Amino acid sequence: MKAIISFIAVLILAAIAYVGVDVLNMQYMFGVVIPYLAVAIFVIFMIVRILRWGSSPNPFRIPTTCGQQKSFPWIKHSRLENPSGVLGVMGRMALEVLFFRSLFRNLKTQLRDDSQLTYGEAKWLWAAGLAFHWSFLIILVRHLRFFTQQVPAAVQLVEMLDSFLQIGIPLLYMTDVVLLGAVTYLFLRRIAIPQMRYLSLMNDYFPLFLIFGIGLSGVLMRYFIKTDIVSVKMLTMSLVGFSPSIPQNPLGVIFYIHLFLICTLFAYFPFSKLVHMAGVFMSPTRVLANTSRVKRHINPWNYPVHVHTYAEYEDDFRDKMKNAGLPVEKE
Amino acid sequence: MAKLPKPEELSKIDYTPPKTSWMDTPVVFKEGMFCHGSKPKSLELVGFPNPRDWRPADADWKLPENWKQILLEGIAERLEKYRSFRLFMDICVRCGACADKCHFFIGTGDPKNMPVLRAELIRSVYRKEFTLAGKIFGKMAGARELTIDVLKEWWYYFFQCTECRRCSVFCPYGIDQAEITIIGRELLNLLGLNIEWIAGPVSNCYMKGNHLGLEPHTIVGNLEYMLDDIETVTGKRIKPTFNRKGAEILFVTPSGDLFADPGTYTCMGYLMLFEELGLDYTWSTYASEGGNFGFFTSNEMAKRLNSKIYAEAKRLGVKWILGGECGHMWRVLSQYMDTWNGPADFLEVPKSPITGTVFENAKSMKMVHVAEFTADLIKNNKLKLDPKRNDHLKVTWHDSCNVARGMGMLEEPRYVLKNVVNNFVEMPEDTIREKTFCCGSGTGLNASEDMDLRMKGGFPRANAVKFVHEHYGVNMLANVCAIDRATLPPLMDYWVPGVKVAGLHELVANALVMTGEKERTTDLRGEPLPGIEQKEEKA
């Protein structure tokens, strides 16, 4: 049900773009106003979000230690899983962000009929997650060609590598296929696994459908419903240069649908779970080094508390202490 | 109390989620799955809010009229205070990687025990009250109103989490359900919704220095009994000191070690080891608790209880502090103590008087775990050990959650263990080290009225022990945690009869050859040593 509503929501979004451009001729609205607005919302509210996270301190040093601590020289210290300094943390975070280290640990716990628990390999979530995020990034990099007058060599290299299979004309980008495949997998596991279906919210289905919609409209535009690339670039460059103008040559409605879904994603992003993109860099269980025994960690709101002092304790128990032969401060 | 079902029944776990969505499935309090409510006296003693007689199963929890306001203000305050809380409310993508990592989910099949969903219980209210999307879209955005049913759900499930952090190991963003449970319990504490098994020890510890409420003369008396037993086994009479000013080292251990076996055997182990070393150390009856049940009520209470350790070290003028075997105690000490009650600049960087090793890893907090201390002794050949005395044991090692995931002390105890026993077998690799399973009764859930919950939560741990018991004949589960020593014996009796539980230093003391001791015929438990019976027959 949540999935269906999310699906319909994305359909409605596409329909809005269709009606807006094809029926109401609001090219300027959909090509200029909404994109600016969406980017502005994204930038401003992401900054707000990050500042708000940052404004709450880490009162305690609480890394989740996933390996051997640094203790004696003769015991091998696990630098990346239990970092003792900045370098170790950087390594740990690099593994986490670039390769999803923690998700790579994933196991599938199963209870056999003979009541034995087993822990099987479960790398599909990791693989699909990695495939999804990396292809998304590469696609994003490829799109830089629309936002730079001279296409940077790096972008061209990425395009070349992404299409090295040399299939079809225009050349097929592998990431297009991988992205759609990975999103499909991530969706299917949500509805196929009973626990996943049970815990999933619309907040989970909606972005999947939205991103699938963006990918699909992009693929349609590149391979099937041809769009005038030159005009697209004229528009995007005019946006980048803050002198927006809708190109003379009409752009197909599929372009506007693609663009509108992207704008929706941008505007939705800061208010959704997608903020994990920035949040992962601030997660105290990962970015803090395990140094709390070596160097005092300061809690900015540490305050004095009521304690039961030794003097009070001795007052409570002086006779008993003396009878038991324990030394006392006051006779 | 409801009768505990047989293991065969309890291990038939239904993982099918209910038909109705979790937001529309009100919590049902099942007998055996929760603890008694706190007594007014326990709360009054430490000045906790809303002391009154109440029962969790009752409809009326006797809450203050403005309970909702108290909670919402409590959430707002903690969002400002803890980045972890604020971040973990926002960034979860519900990928489900944590779901089948939780021992309570594995053991109960209850979907609200999936860490992700346990967090959603509070996240849903956060969305409703603190986010724009939640305010506008409500349920569609995963938001819901804070009602009395929601509050009861929080209570039920935040006391079905032992803050073991296993989920946090697998989470791609490191979201730690322990943080959420800690804060969730802090919020419940604002309304006096504690459990007596926690509140009682907290007030004991505050007034008397330890969870069990052992008064100074009782501590001395309890140790005397152990000294008698040591004399029986070794022929040596040990005379430890208490509250002694000018000692080099203050020794602090969880009070469970002073109270009941098998913890007392571990305690005998410390006494024998320190005696053999001629260590200049003292016990304290004031700082007589290493553990910290305050940590399971609120940050502030934890700090109040913890303060005694440094204060006593200062009063006695010791150079550094040695800590006994415990789990959550060591997370609290290593990740919180120095921040709360430091700087301990009146102490010196810990240095072993026997080996000269300086414990650089405890440079600031000035406290060393006894497993680290002993590992260093053995490495430097300072102990005469006869591991054959433990040959009647096939030992496996249980990593305590907090020591593993809140500190990373994995190899030191293994090194000690391998030097004091000849038969050591690891449990399956996905159930040890950073992936270790909780005993199922941590964070103050080790009461007797919630035995169902404990046996279910301990199922994955027991299951791994059962595996090595059946395949390798393991009969001893060793660990460095006082809660484990209290909770694993009933867990083993239930799931894996024939496996006993021991602290590391019990096994150390069994193997320790002491100067001038008589020939040992029994281990610390009074059971004949391997080879002794045959010897007697021959004679």
Side-chain angles (χ1 to χ4, degrees):
Chain A
M1 190 58 194
K2 292 172 195 155
I4 294 168
I5 296 175
S6 305
F7 177 66
I8 293 172
V10 174
L11 281 185
I12 291 174
L13 287 170
I16 289 173
Y18 182 85
V19 173
V21 173
D22 216 48
V23 181
L24 302 174
N25 269 321
M26 296 164 73
Q27 274 84 352
Y28 197 81
M29 174 59 104
F30 283 86
V32 176
V33 178
I34 291 176
Y36 272 138
L37 208 61
V39 172
I41 291 174
F42 175 80
V43 172
I44 292 168
F45 285 95
M46 274 313 280
I47 290 173
V48 167
R49 174 79 50 171
I50 292 167
L51 288 180
R52 192 176 290 164
W53 287 335
S55 71
S56 305
N58 281 322
F60 305 105
R61 193 159 275 269
I62 53 162
T64 307
T65 58
C66 299
Q68 171 61 37
Q69 67 169 346
K70 186 178 178 192
S71 58
F72 303 113
W74 49 274
I75 290 181
K76 197 174 176 321
H77 165 218
S78 177
R79 283 163 211 279
L80 291 172
E81 307 287 12
N82 190 348
S84 63
V86 179
L87 271 180
V89 166
M90 283 166 67
R92 186 182 204 187
M93 288 310 292
L95 282 181
E96 208 61 91
V97 172
L98 300 176
F99 304 110
F100 302 180
R101 168 70 184 106
S102 291
L103 204 53
F104 187 71
R105 287 192 188 95
N106 197 21
L107 300 167
K108 189 174 169 58
T109 311
Q110 274 180 314
L111 183 61
R112 288 200 317 225
D113 288 341
D114 63 352
S115 296
Q116 180 68 49
L117 285 168
T118 61
Y119 307 94
E121 290 285 313
K123 298 279 187 262
W124 282 107
L125 173 61
W126 170 80
L130 206 60
F132 166 70
H133 284 83
W134 273 104
S135 46
F136 205 119
L137 178 67
I138 291 170
I139 291 170
L140 207 68
V141 170
R142 282 203 273 102
H143 277 69
L144 286 181
R145 84 154 33 242
F146 294 106
F147 298 92
T148 44
Q149 205 56 265
Q150 286 275 306
V151 180
V155 173
Q156 290 183 5
L157 182 71
V158 168
E159 286 173 344
M160 202 182 77
L161 292 174
D162 199 1
S163 60
F164 93 104
L165 289 178
Q166 306 273 327
I167 299 172
I169 293 178
L171 289 180
L172 175 75
Y173 285 131
M174 286 177 290
T175 48
D176 289 351
V177 180
V178 173
L179 178 88
L180 291 177
V183 172
T184 307
Y185 172 81
L186 292 174
F187 168 69
L188 289 178
R189 76 180 275 280
R190 262 192 204 282
I191 51 172
I193 305 170
Q195 272 76 26
M196 288 305 299
R197 195 167 56 238
Y198 197 67
L199 65 84
S200 293
L201 302 172
M202 268 186 57
N203 316 22
D204 304 309
Y205 292 114
F206 177 69
L208 282 175
F209 282 115
L210 186 60
I211 290 166
F212 192 87
I214 291 169
L216 187 68
S217 55
V219 163
L220 286 176
M221 208 174 359
R222 177 172 166 85
Y223 305 101
F224 303 102
I225 314 168
K226 294 290 164 11
T227 308
D228 182 2
I229 299 284
V230 179
S231 303
V232 171
K233 185 149 182 174
M234 279 170 64
L235 173 64
T236 52
M237 288 312 295
S238 78
L239 290 174
V240 173
F242 290 102
S243 52
S245 69
I246 298 295
Q248 298 295 316
N249 250 355
L251 286 161
V253 71
I254 185 74
F255 167 77
Y256 284 101
I257 292 177
H258 186 64
L259 184 61
F260 186 61
L261 292 183
I262 292 170
C263 291
T264 310
L265 183 66
F266 267 70
Y268 174 71
F269 204 100
F271 310 100
S272 71
K273 68 173 192 176
L274 304 176
V275 294
H276 68 265
M277 179 182 82
V280 64
F281 291 96
M282 299 174 80
S283 180
T285 64
R286 294 291 186 273
V287 300
L288 294 174
N290 182 16
T291 56
S292 43
R293 291 173 77 193
V294 180
K295 192 173 175 292
R296 182 165 182 243
H297 179 88
I298 304 292
N299 171 5
W301 50 262
N302 198 18
Y303 54 91
V305 293
H306 286 288
V307 297
H308 193 64
T309 62
Y310 175 80
E312 289 167 306
Y313 170 84
E314 194 181 293
D315 286 345
D316 292 346
F317 296 109
R318 184 165 295 109
D319 290 340
K320 288 174 176 170
M321 290 173 79
K322 278 158 78 177
N323 285 337
L326 294 171
V328 289
E329 300 261 344
K330 278 196 279 185
E331 281 303 318
Chain B
M1 203 196 322
K3 205 175 159 290
L4 194 60
K6 290 201 163 49
E8 303 81 67
E9 295 164 45
L10 213 64
S11 62
K12 285 198 185 70
I13 302 158
D14 184 7
Y15 293 102
T16 326
K19 293 258 181 304
T20 47
S21 102
W22 64 266
M23 283 198 198
D24 305 322
T25 312
V27 60
V28 180
F29 280 51
K30 292 194 188 109
E31 194 77 13
M33 294 293 283
F34 59 95
C35 295
H36 297 319
S38 45
K39 292 181 183 138
K41 206 181 100 204
S42 305
L43 302 193
E44 275 157 10
L45 267 171
V46 293
F48 271 160
N50 202 21
R52 78 237 176 269
D53 268 313
W54 73 291
R55 284 154 44 100
D58 287 351
D60 180 13
W61 277 4
K62 303 180 192 168
L63 300 175
E65 224 159 85
N66 60 340
W67 65 268
K68 197 170 161 180
Q69 185 199 350
I70 294 174
L71 281 184
L72 293 179
E73 285 172 10
I75 294 175
E77 185 192 333
R78 281 154 190 81
L79 287 169
E80 301 290 323
K81 278 176 150 179
Y82 295 90
R83 185 177 299 167
S84 55
F85 187 39
R86 174 144 251 161
L87 201 67
F88 295 164
M89 287 296 105
D90 283 336
I91 63 173
C92 176
V93 300
R94 287 165 295 278
C95 73
C98 58
D100 58 353
K101 309 305 179 289
C102 172
H103 51 285
F104 281 118
F105 174 68
I106 298 171
T108 62
D110 183 340
K112 282 176 190 165
N113 271 327
M114 296 188 280
V116 44
L117 216 48
R118 199 185 286 108
E120 287 292 323
L121 300 181
I122 201 163
R123 230 178 245 136
S124 52
V125 171
Y126 163 78
R127 287 195 199 101
K128 179 79 193 170
E129 301 290 342
F130 297 91
T131 71
L132 191 64
K135 277 179 189 151
I136 298 173
F137 294 107
K139 216 169 165 179
M140 289 225 296
R144 64 173 177 171
E145 201 79 47
L146 175 57
T147 63
I148 196 79
D149 284 337
V150 170
L151 177 66
K152 291 196 169 183
E153 204 175 37
W154 285 7
W155 190 86
Y156 194 66
Y157 289 102
F158 290 143
F159 287 102
Q160 289 192 23
C161 165
T162 46
E163 304 174 7
C164 82
R165 311 186 99 196
R166 192 170 191 263
C167 50
S168 153
V169 168
F170 293 90
C171 174
Y173 318 118
I175 296 174
D176 185 4
Q177 176 63 44
E179 280 295 288
I180 295 167
T181 297
I182 288 168
I183 285 163
R185 288 193 186 182
E186 231 185 84
L187 294 168
L188 294 167
N189 180 54
L190 296 175
L191 302 176
L193 295 172
N194 309 69
I195 64 173
E196 180 56 20
W197 199 258
I198 294 173
V202 164
S203 64
N204 275 339
C205 193
Y206 190 68
M207 299 306 289
K208 299 182 178 173
N210 56 76
H211 295 151
L212 294 166
L214 306 175
E215 298 187 357
H217 56 291
T218 318
I219 294 178
V220 177
N222 283 10
L223 275 174
E224 285 293 328
Y225 284 123
M226 292 182 222
L227 299 174
D228 292 344
D229 288 347
I230 292 172
E231 194 172 3
T232 311
V233 176
T234 67
K236 292 191 66 152
R237 186 75 199 180
I238 298 173
K239 290 194 179 63
T241 59
F242 298 88
N243 303 354
R244 176 166 62 92
K245 287 190 178 178
E248 182 179 355
I249 297 165
L250 168 66
F251 180 64
V252 180
T253 199
S255 61
D257 287 350
L258 307 174
F259 187 64
D261 64 44
T264 46
Y265 302 129
T266 309
C267 193
M268 286 159 67
Y270 308 141
L271 288 160
M272 289 162 65
L273 174 70
F274 301 159
E275 169 71 13
E276 181 57 21
L277 297 171
L279 206 64
D280 177 17
Y281 81 106
T282 182
W283 296 77
S284 165
T285 60
Y286 170 65
S288 48
E289 181 59 68
N292 196 325
F293 270 38
F295 195 61
F296 311 138
T297 62
S298 72
N299 164 68
E300 183 178 304
M301 194 67 232
K303 180 181 169 181
R304 290 168 73 187
L305 297 186
N306 174 265
S307 69
K308 290 179 185 169
I309 298 179
Y310 278 154
E312 184 70 339
K314 194 171 189 177
R315 184 182 77 87
L316 297 176
V318 299
K319 288 186 181 159
W320 57 279
I321 311 165
L322 185 59
E325 296 182 10
C326 189
H328 80 273
M329 158 179 169
W330 272 94
R331 176 160 189 227
V332 169
L333 295 179
S334 70
Q335 298 196 330
Y336 293 83
M337 176 163 77
D338 200 6
T339 300
W340 280 330
N341 294 310
D345 43 15
F346 48 90
L347 295 173
E348 294 175 12
V349 178
K351 178 179 171 183
S352 170
I354 315 300
T355 66
T357 300
V358 177
F359 295 92
E360 294 284 349
N361 65 329
K363 202 160 63 182
S364 174
M365 63 90 87
K366 315 278 196 328
M367 190 158 175
V368 174
H369 194 291
V370 69
E372 295 172 324
F373 180 72
T374 305
D376 171 64
L377 293 171
I378 296 176
K379 182 72 185 174
N380 287 288
N381 268 320
K382 298 292 180 192
L383 299 181
K384 204 172 163 198
L385 297 166
D386 179 9
K388 281 203 297 296
R389 290 180 185 166
N390 283 318
D391 274 358
H392 54 313
L393 305 175
K394 280 212 161 159
V395 186
T396 193
W397 181 254
H398 164 64
D399 291 279
S400 304
C401 322
N402 285 284
V403 170
R405 289 182 283 259
M407 188 177 173
M409 191 178 75
L410 306 173
E411 293 303 333
E412 295 87 345
R414 281 182 172 76
Y415 179 77
V416 173
L417 191 63
K418 285 173 188 167
N419 277 284
V420 299
V421 304
N422 285 320
N423 311 310
F424 168 56
V425 183
E426 291 274 19
M427 284 182 274
E429 63 168 339
D430 292 319
T431 70
I432 55 169
R433 297 176 189 268
E434 75 278 7
K435 287 181 256 180
T436 189
F437 274 112
C438 177
C439 61
S441 312
T443 61
L445 302 184
N446 51 326
S448 53
E449 64 271 19
D450 62 339
M451 217 27 115
D452 266 50
L453 176 70
R454 292 176 52 187
M455 294 303 111
K456 287 173 177 171
F459 174 62
R461 171 39 75 223
N463 201 265
V465 177
K466 194 168 178 220
F467 181 82
V468 286
H469 173 64
E470 285 172 358
H471 286 76
Y472 307 104
V474 162
N475 59 10
M476 184 57 87
L477 180 57
N479 60 75
V480 272
C481 173
I483 301 284
D484 282 329
R485 290 190 282 275
T487 64
L488 289 175
L491 188 77
M492 291 299 109
D493 289 347
Y494 183 79
W495 290 111
V496 206
V499 175
K500 300 256 183 296
V501 177
L504 183 65
H505 279 76
E506 177 188 346
L507 304 176
V508 170
N510 270 342
L512 183 71
V513 180
M514 298 176 74
T515 352
E517 69 177 4
K518 66 171 193 188
E519 193 191 351
R520 292 206 208 168
T521 53
T522 68
D523 62 12
L524 295 191
R525 301 186 177 197
E527 284 162 21
L529 287 179
I532 288 297
E533 279 164 85
Q534 291 92 316
K535 244 188 228 172
E536 279 170 356
E537 276 164 25
K538 273 179 200 164

